[in-house]
Amino acid sequence: TTLYSTVQLIEVKHPEVKEFAHWSNLTYDIEFMNHLLDEMSDFTKSERLQPENFDFRLFLETLTLAFAASIEQSNVEYISKLEPSIHQITGDKTKLQEVFWNLLKNAYEATFPKGQISLIAQNKKDRILIQIKDTGCGIPSEELSRIFEPFVTFKKNGTGLGLSICRQIIESHHGVIEVISEAGFGSTFSI
């Protein structure tokens, strides 16, 4: 942040630097470092929860409406099916939002520019099952076993921390996260 502030100060005092070769690369690299440090910080804190009781169905409704609005201008179709009997849970609302938003964002990136994403939530005995499915590019079988490992990424400009953080957060809620995927046919993440 300090480095980025200094770069912005230089731009204000000397606007001509924006025309210098590699100046935009410098600002991009600083933004990427900041993003990476934020993810590393999230990774180290992902097991520490601040649990509260909240209406999980309402939480999912709000999340799905926000996600649907964020991709409204694309050719990716989004469907959500939330069982009416899902109500209160105890959990860290902020961290759970991070998990679902990350999985939906990944599904969108895998599916773009065209396809379908769905989020289905239903009661299964004393647990809730949430599935996020996409019709995107899928994950090759040789990569599938490593996608939850920290710092392992198969995406350009990925940090390899998003799915690791998701797994830590879900496991700290005494849950399980699994994936079924086939290259060229999409993925299903189940929580």
Side-chain angles (χ1 to χ4, degrees), residues 1-8 30 34:
T1 302
T2 304
L3 185 58
Y4 193 65
S5 297
T6 303
V7 166
Q8 288 178 321
I30 292 170
N34 194 38

Side-chain angles (χ1 to χ4, degrees), residues 4 15 20 22 38 51 66 72 76 91 94 98 105-106 110 112 117-119 150 156 163 172 177-178 180 184 189:
Y4 193 65
F20 290 177
H22 308 296
D38 285 345
E72 187 175 26
V76 176
T94 303
E98 182 180 351
K105 181 180 68 90
N106 285 352
F112 186 82
I117 300 168
S118 64
L119 184 147
K156 185 181 178 186
L163 289 176
S172 65
I177 183 169
E178 299 172 330
I180 297 170
F189 283 82

Side-chain angles (χ1 to χ4, degrees), residues 4 6 12 22 44 54 77 85 88 91 114 116 134 149 163:
Y4 193 65
T6 303
V12 168
H22 308 296
T44 60
F54 64 96
E77 180 185 8
S85 60
Q88 295 285 329
K114 187 174 152 184
Q116 186 180 77
D134 68 67
E149 292 178 23
L163 289 176

